[in-house]
């Protein structure tokens, strides 16, 4: 991940490939950049800071960043991931970033004073202008739950209760892959998660155990998700066998071993043979 070392304030177009005076080699480098880290100490970024960074996928910053200029993420159509380091009750610029983007955003928040993480998903949405002919006005209609999720902030601090209360709304509008990411993110990193909402997320996971299993097996940090499913997700030995077969079919031998060990511990040992085709 490339790190920007700069003064406390970044000027307009600071990281844009199209900033006046850019040399071609530097422009090409900025156009190809996929990850970026703003150093702790940067307090403000100007207007259109990342304008045109079309390959930027991941951005990292800390709670030292207090202001983001207008249009900073214009043209950043690939941006999907934020990693923010902060302390409890500190103001961050998470809201500023997610409200400038209409597509889904995956946000990881690290609370360094407590050494805990929160993982949130802000779904995509889009606006539609609909003419109200009798009233002679143009009404803005929002499609998807993403707009509501982007209102889950109080004084630029994440309101976790409001975020979690929206899951029932998300289940109406969002695709299963987004819902699974939302549920597992909160279950694996349950920062400020109430017992009631934890049960709601867990119930969803239990209802779609095979789909959730497929999702977890594809993650880089698959251990945590698979372990959660076999320990707290599956309800009986048959569901455990479903997960084991899923892992076996994908050739994921480590996951098979973990799942079989936990299945035997929870539901008793049953002899099974799997052909991995090796």
């Amino acid at each position: 991940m490339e790190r920007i070392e700069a003064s406390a304030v970044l000027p307009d177009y600071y990281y844009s490939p199209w900033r006046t005076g850019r040399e071609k080699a530097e422009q090409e480098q900025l156009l190809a950049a996929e990850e970026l880290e703003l150093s702790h100490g940067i307090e403000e970024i100007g207007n259109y800071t990342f304008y045109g960074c079309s390959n930027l996928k991941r951005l990292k910053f800390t709670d030292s960043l207090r202001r983001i200029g207008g249009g900073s993420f214009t043209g950043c159509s690939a941006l999907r991931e934020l990693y923010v380091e902060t302390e409890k009750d500190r103001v961050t610029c998470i809201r500023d970033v997610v409200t400038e983007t209409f597509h889904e955003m995956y946000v990881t928040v690290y609370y360094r004073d407590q050494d805990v993480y929160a993982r949130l998903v802000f779904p995509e949405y889009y606006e539609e202008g609909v003419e109200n002919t009798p009233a002679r006005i143009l009404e803005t209609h929002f499609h998807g739950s993403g707009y509501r999720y982007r209102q889950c902030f109080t004084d630029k601090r994440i309101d976790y209760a409001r975020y979690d209360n929206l899951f029932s709304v998300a289940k109406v509008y969002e695709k299963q892959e987004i819902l699974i990411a939302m549920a597992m993110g909160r279950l694996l990193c349950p920062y400020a998660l109430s017992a009631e909402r934890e049960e709601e997320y867990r119930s969803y996971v239990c209802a779609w155990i095979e789909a959730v299993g497929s999702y977890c097996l594809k993650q880089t940090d698959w251990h945590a998700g698979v372990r959660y499913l076999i320990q707290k997700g599956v309800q009986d030995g048959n569901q455990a066998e479903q997960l084991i077969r899923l892992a076996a079919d994908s050739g994921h031998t480590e996951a098979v071993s973990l799942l079989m060990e936990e299945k035997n511990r929870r539901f008793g040992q049953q002899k099974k043979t799997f052909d991995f085709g090796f």
Side-chain angles (χ1 to χ4, degrees):
M1 179 176 284
E2 185 171 349
R3 176 188 292 267
I4 289 181
E5 300 288 353
S7 62
V9 179
L10 301 187
D12 296 350
Y13 294 94
Y14 182 85
Y15 206 63
S16 170
W18 311 115
R19 184 182 182 183
T20 303
R22 290 270 189 223
E23 301 222 345
K24 185 173 179 58
E26 185 181 21
Q27 184 183 72
E28 291 176 351
Q29 182 181 14
L30 295 175
L31 284 170
E34 295 185 358
E35 300 182 346
L36 173 66
E37 178 178 350
L38 297 175
S39 301
H40 184 67
I42 293 177
E43 299 174 0
E44 180 179 339
I45 60 178
N47 300 322
Y48 300 100
T49 304
F50 311 109
Y51 173 72
C53 291
S54 56
N55 280 304
L56 182 63
K57 298 177 181 178
R58 290 170 289 276
L59 178 64
K60 180 177 180 179
F61 56 87
T62 77
D63 50 14
S64 71
L65 184 63
R66 296 303 180 93
R67 182 183 179 279
I68 293 179
S72 285
F73 301 98
T74 302
C76 297
S77 56
L79 183 62
R80 291 293 185 277
E81 300 176 32
L82 297 182
Y83 181 100
V84 182
E85 184 178 314
T86 185
E87 294 184 5
K88 183 180 179 181
D89 297 329
R90 287 278 184 89
V91 169
T92 72
C93 281
I94 294 173
R95 181 181 182 278
D96 300 294
V97 180
V98 298
T99 54
E100 272 215 33
T101 57
F102 295 92
H103 43 255
E104 68 272 13
M105 294 293 294
Y106 298 83
V107 180
T108 299
V109 187
Y110 174 61
Y111 292 93
R112 57 178 175 267
D113 57 326
Q114 301 173 77
D115 194 25
V116 295
Y117 289 86
R119 288 189 178 139
L120 309 175
V121 181
F122 292 83
E124 68 176 347
Y125 76 100
Y126 69 93
E127 301 178 11
E128 180 184 19
V130 178
E131 184 178 3
N132 185 330
T133 304
R136 296 182 178 180
I137 59 175
L138 187 66
E139 299 176 344
T140 300
H141 291 189
F142 296 98
H143 299 269
S145 65
Y147 180 79
R148 297 190 192 186
Y149 271 93
R150 284 162 173 79
Q151 310 312 306
C152 295
F153 294 86
T154 302
D155 297 328
K156 296 185 71 172
R157 298 176 178 87
I158 299 170
D159 188 328
Y160 287 96
R162 289 172 66 184
Y163 177 93
D164 293 326
N165 287 342
L166 281 174
F167 191 61
S168 58
V169 176
K171 285 188 286 188
V172 176
Y173 292 102
E174 303 307 328
K175 297 178 292 186
Q176 187 180 66
E177 61 191 75
I178 296 296
L179 295 170
I180 290 173
M182 295 173 76
M184 290 304 293
R186 292 300 281 139
L187 290 169
L188 295 178
C189 300
Y191 182 81
L193 179 62
S194 70
E196 181 181 2
R197 295 310 171 200
E198 180 180 11
E199 181 57 31
E200 182 180 13
Y201 287 125
R202 195 183 73 83
S203 295
Y204 180 82
V205 165
C206 291
W208 300 98
I209 198 74
E210 194 165 350
V212 178
S214 295
Y215 167 84
C216 291
L217 287 168
K218 295 174 184 176
Q219 305 306 303
T220 303
D221 55 346
W222 62 268
H223 294 84
V226 169
R227 192 178 298 280
Y228 179 90
L229 291 183
I230 193 63
Q231 291 180 347
K232 298 183 179 181
V234 300
Q235 304 299 297
D236 52 44
N238 289 332
Q239 282 193 327
E241 288 293 342
Q242 280 184 305
L243 286 182
I244 294 171
R245 174 57 65 185
L246 194 65
D249 288 346
S250 65
H252 208 314
T253 55
E254 287 185 78
V256 170
S257 178
L258 185 155
L259 289 166
M260 291 186 69
E261 181 181 344
E262 287 296 323
K263 173 187 173 291
N264 293 338
R265 184 183 65 81
R266 288 192 62 193
F267 306 110
Q269 190 167 4
Q270 182 179 355
K271 188 174 182 181
K272 283 283 183 180
T273 302
F274 295 101
D275 181 9
F276 292 97
F278 298 155

